[in-house]
PDB file of all heavy atoms in Angstrom:
ATOM      1  N   ARG N  26     -58.538 -80.258  34.519  1.00  0.00           N
ATOM      2  CA  ARG N  26     -58.903 -78.992  35.151  1.00  0.00           C
ATOM      3  C   ARG N  26     -59.087 -79.192  36.638  1.00  0.00           C
ATOM      4  O   ARG N  26     -59.529 -80.256  37.091  1.00  0.00           O
ATOM      5  CB  ARG N  26     -60.160 -78.412  34.553  1.00  0.00           C
ATOM      6  CG  ARG N  26     -60.079 -78.125  33.074  1.00  0.00           C
ATOM      7  CD  ARG N  26     -59.054 -77.071  32.759  1.00  0.00           C
ATOM      8  NE  ARG N  26     -58.993 -76.786  31.337  1.00  0.00           N
ATOM      9  CZ  ARG N  26     -58.063 -76.027  30.783  1.00  0.00           C
ATOM     10  NH1 ARG N  26     -57.092 -75.511  31.536  1.00  0.00           N
ATOM     11  NH2 ARG N  26     -58.055 -75.799  29.511  1.00  0.00           N
ATOM     12  N   LYS N  27     -58.717 -78.184  37.402  1.00  0.00           N
ATOM     13  CA  LYS N  27     -58.843 -78.292  38.822  1.00  0.00           C
ATOM     14  C   LYS N  27     -60.256 -78.024  39.327  1.00  0.00           C
ATOM     15  O   LYS N  27     -60.548 -78.341  40.489  1.00  0.00           O
ATOM     16  CB  LYS N  27     -57.870 -77.319  39.488  1.00  0.00           C
ATOM     17  CG  LYS N  27     -56.396 -77.637  39.251  1.00  0.00           C
ATOM     18  CD  LYS N  27     -55.498 -76.631  40.000  1.00  0.00           C
ATOM     19  CE  LYS N  27     -54.019 -76.993  39.764  1.00  0.00           C
ATOM     20  NZ  LYS N  27     -53.117 -76.042  40.466  1.00  0.00           N
ATOM     21  N   SER N  28     -61.084 -77.438  38.499  1.00  0.00           N
ATOM     22  CA  SER N  28     -62.418 -77.135  38.929  1.00  0.00           C
ATOM     23  C   SER N  28     -63.343 -77.117  37.704  1.00  0.00           C
ATOM     24  O   SER N  28     -62.900 -76.924  36.599  1.00  0.00           O
ATOM     25  CB  SER N  28     -62.476 -75.798  39.654  1.00  0.00           C
ATOM     26  OG  SER N  28     -62.322 -74.762  38.748  1.00  0.00           O
ATOM     27  N   LYS N  29     -64.663 -77.242  37.988  1.00  0.00           N
ATOM     28  CA  LYS N  29     -65.671 -77.118  36.947  1.00  0.00           C
ATOM     29  C   LYS N  29     -65.599 -75.684  36.380  1.00  0.00           C
ATOM     30  O   LYS N  29     -65.790 -75.491  35.170  1.00  0.00           O
ATOM     31  CB  LYS N  29     -67.017 -77.430  37.456  1.00  0.00           C
ATOM     32  CG  LYS N  29     -67.291 -78.878  37.765  1.00  0.00           C
ATOM     33  CD  LYS N  29     -68.760 -79.104  38.214  1.00  0.00           C
ATOM     34  CE  LYS N  29     -69.020 -80.579  38.465  1.00  0.00           C
ATOM     35  NZ  LYS N  29     -70.399 -80.780  38.900  1.00  0.00           N
ATOM     36  N   GLY N  30     -65.393 -74.718  37.277  1.00  0.00           N
ATOM     37  CA  GLY N  30     -65.304 -73.334  36.799  1.00  0.00           C
ATOM     38  C   GLY N  30     -64.215 -73.161  35.776  1.00  0.00           C
ATOM     39  O   GLY N  30     -64.423 -72.520  34.742  1.00  0.00           O
ATOM     40  N   ASP N  31     -63.031 -73.750  36.033  1.00  0.00           N
ATOM     41  CA  ASP N  31     -61.926 -73.668  35.075  1.00  0.00           C
ATOM     42  C   ASP N  31     -62.311 -74.305  33.752  1.00  0.00           C
ATOM     43  O   ASP N  31     -61.991 -73.790  32.678  1.00  0.00           O
ATOM     44  CB  ASP N  31     -60.678 -74.335  35.624  1.00  0.00           C
ATOM     45  CG  ASP N  31     -60.054 -73.513  36.724  1.00  0.00           C
ATOM     46  OD1 ASP N  31     -60.366 -72.324  36.859  1.00  0.00           O
ATOM     47  OD2 ASP N  31     -59.147 -74.071  37.434  1.00  0.00           O
ATOM     48  N   ALA N  32     -62.946 -75.469  33.824  1.00  0.00           N
ATOM     49  CA  ALA N  32     -63.291 -76.167  32.608  1.00  0.00           C
ATOM     50  C   ALA N  32     -64.219 -75.320  31.730  1.00  0.00           C
ATOM     51  O   ALA N  32     -63.986 -75.191  30.524  1.00  0.00           O
ATOM     52  CB  ALA N  32     -63.982 -77.490  32.950  1.00  0.00           C
ATOM     53  N   PHE N  33     -65.232 -74.708  32.330  1.00  0.00           N
ATOM     54  CA  PHE N  33     -66.123 -73.865  31.580  1.00  0.00           C
ATOM     55  C   PHE N  33     -65.429 -72.598  31.112  1.00  0.00           C
ATOM     56  O   PHE N  33     -65.624 -72.146  29.941  1.00  0.00           O
ATOM     57  CB  PHE N  33     -67.353 -73.495  32.400  1.00  0.00           C
ATOM     58  CG  PHE N  33     -68.260 -74.655  32.704  1.00  0.00           C
ATOM     59  CD1 PHE N  33     -68.696 -74.944  33.978  1.00  0.00           C
ATOM     60  CD2 PHE N  33     -68.724 -75.456  31.637  1.00  0.00           C
ATOM     61  CE1 PHE N  33     -69.538 -76.003  34.228  1.00  0.00           C
ATOM     62  CE2 PHE N  33     -69.577 -76.556  31.887  1.00  0.00           C
ATOM     63  CZ  PHE N  33     -69.992 -76.832  33.187  1.00  0.00           C
ATOM     64  N   PHE N  34     -64.617 -72.021  31.941  1.00  0.00           N
ATOM     65  CA  PHE N  34     -63.958 -70.766  31.589  1.00  0.00           C
ATOM     66  C   PHE N  34     -63.038 -70.927  30.398  1.00  0.00           C
ATOM     67  O   PHE N  34     -63.088 -70.100  29.486  1.00  0.00           O
ATOM     68  CB  PHE N  34     -63.128 -70.256  32.814  1.00  0.00           C
ATOM     69  CG  PHE N  34     -62.419 -68.961  32.568  1.00  0.00           C
ATOM     70  CD1 PHE N  34     -63.094 -67.725  32.637  1.00  0.00           C
ATOM     71  CD2 PHE N  34     -61.095 -68.932  32.218  1.00  0.00           C
ATOM     72  CE1 PHE N  34     -62.454 -66.534  32.418  1.00  0.00           C
ATOM     73  CE2 PHE N  34     -60.415 -67.741  31.964  1.00  0.00           C
ATOM     74  CZ  PHE N  34     -61.111 -66.531  32.061  1.00  0.00           C
ATOM     75  N   PHE N  35     -62.257 -71.944  30.377  1.00  0.00           N
ATOM     76  CA  PHE N  35     -61.294 -72.130  29.283  1.00  0.00           C
ATOM     77  C   PHE N  35     -61.965 -72.671  27.997  1.00  0.00           C
ATOM     78  O   PHE N  35     -61.322 -72.753  26.965  1.00  0.00           O
ATOM     79  CB  PHE N  35     -60.144 -73.028  29.719  1.00  0.00           C
ATOM     80  CG  PHE N  35     -59.223 -72.347  30.692  1.00  0.00           C
ATOM     81  CD1 PHE N  35     -59.220 -72.726  32.040  1.00  0.00           C
ATOM     82  CD2 PHE N  35     -58.401 -71.331  30.301  1.00  0.00           C
ATOM     83  CE1 PHE N  35     -58.380 -72.122  32.908  1.00  0.00           C
ATOM     84  CE2 PHE N  35     -57.581 -70.695  31.186  1.00  0.00           C
ATOM     85  CZ  PHE N  35     -57.563 -71.080  32.512  1.00  0.00           C
TER      86      PHE N  35
END
Side-chain angles (χ1 to χ4, degrees):
R26 300 296 181 189
K27 294 182 179 180
S28 73
K29 288 184 178 179
D31 287 346
F33 291 129
F34 180 81
F35 289 107

